[in-house]
Amino acid sequence: MLMYPYNLVAVGEQAMNLVFPEKIDVAENQTIQRIAKDLRTDPTFALLDAIPAYHTLTLYFDTQRISEAQFRSKLTVYLHNYTDAVAVTQERVLELPVCYTPEFGPDLKDVAAFAGLSIPQLIQMHTQNSYFIYMMGFLPGFAYMGFVPDQIAMPRLNRPRAEIPAGSVGIAGKQTGMYPVASPAGWRIIGRTPLKLYDPHAPLPKYQPGDRIQFKAINRQEYERIKTVDQAGKYHLNIKKTKEA
């Protein structure tokens, strides 16, 4: 059985929310990702979509093929029989280049001052760990990731900026993320990636919930070189796989 308590909440006529304890936790979110993967590959659930979030999984089903009562019953049986003793799986870690400069990171100096660090120390701290992608949202391709070290977990801006450039990388408390398109932003922007993170003609992002992102610091010259290669469609993210129980 599941190691977490849960509730099933109907959302309209053709969707149901699987709700776990309200917290941001890698193990809990990995369980959500596994359930989503299982249900997507089982045609008897008649799924139209499965949308994982921090502590919920929203399941959309085809009411022409399965009723709400049937769906709830099947899901209840599945969850009753679910086991967390899953086989060892591989977790992808994608290396994302970022140029950390005041030009690209208007909040770089403020975050360093908040943390009591030099800018090189801040960059080293932000790039030393990989960040788990809990969910996608807000913008196409926007990944909510965590956790940054407490020392650099600076709160959001009191007044969001009206627009920041695509590729901007920021911190908001314990979370970090990158903006795939130009948009308003209340996060503390500390750098920018030269990669095009969202393409409306090929909208599926290169990263997905359950992946990890490892930021790699690059200089201004490398930024321009990678941007040119990426625009030509010839840049490939460095991807490594780690085994997770």
Side-chain angles (χ1 to χ4, degrees), residues 31-235:
T31 296
I32 290 171
Q33 304 292 347
R34 292 181 189 123
I35 292 172
K37 183 178 180 180
D38 281 353
L39 300 186
R40 287 187 186 111
T41 57
D42 186 340
T44 65
F45 280 93
L47 274 192
L48 298 173
D49 204 357
I51 304 175
Y54 277 120
H55 68 99
T56 64
L57 176 62
T58 304
L59 301 165
Y60 291 88
F61 51 91
D62 186 350
T63 54
Q64 299 297 313
R65 297 166 55 198
I66 191 170
S67 69
E68 180 185 326
Q70 291 171 326
F71 186 84
R72 181 185 289 270
S73 177
K74 281 184 62 66
L75 185 57
T76 300
V77 171
Y78 166 84
L79 294 171
H80 179 77
N81 294 324
Y82 179 87
T83 174
D84 281 299
V86 295
V88 172
T89 57
Q90 287 191 322
E91 186 178 66
R92 298 196 314 165
V93 181
L94 291 76
E95 186 179 83
L96 196 78
V98 176
C99 185
Y100 297 88
T101 65
E103 175 191 3
F104 291 150
D107 299 308
L108 190 64
K109 292 180 179 179
D110 287 343
V111 177
F114 169 85
L117 299 171
S118 66
I119 287 178
Q121 288 172 327
L122 166 62
I123 295 168
Q124 194 278 329
M125 189 169 285
H126 190 246
T127 57
Q128 68 185 2
N129 298 319
S130 62
Y131 299 102
F132 183 80
I133 301 178
Y134 291 91
M135 59 177 283
M136 309 287 278
F138 169 54
L139 295 168
F142 188 96
Y144 285 88
M145 306 185 296
F147 293 123
V148 300
D150 289 336
Q151 190 173 354
I152 64 173
M154 192 172 185
R156 290 173 171 83
L157 295 167
N158 291 329
R159 184 183 180 125
R161 293 184 174 91
E163 183 173 289
I164 51 104
S168 294
V169 174
I171 289 173
K174 293 284 286 179
Q175 299 176 108
T176 188
M178 49 275 184
Y179 287 76
V181 296
S183 78
W187 290 33
R188 305 282 179 169
I189 305 304
I190 60 173
R192 191 184 305 170
T193 178
L195 303 183
K196 186 175 184 178
L197 300 176
Y198 176 71
D199 182 352
H201 303 293
L204 189 65
K206 297 179 176 67
Y207 43 85
Q208 296 295 323
D211 288 338
R212 288 183 180 270
I213 297 292
Q214 177 91 51
F215 294 115
K216 178 185 178 182
I218 58 173
N219 60 32
R220 191 67 165 79
Q221 186 177 3
E222 290 173 306
Y223 177 94
E224 295 299 337
R225 180 187 65 80
I226 292 173
K227 183 176 180 180
T228 299
V229 173
D230 186 56
Q231 288 176 338
K234 297 180 179 180
Y235 186 85

Side-chain angles (χ1 to χ4, degrees), residues 3-5 20-29 32 53-56 134 147:
M3 62 185 294
Y4 304 103
F20 287 103
E22 188 173 347
K23 58 182 178 178
I24 302 177
D25 178 78
V26 170
E28 181 178 287
N29 193 265
I32 290 171
Y54 277 120
H55 68 99
T56 64
Y134 291 91
F147 293 123

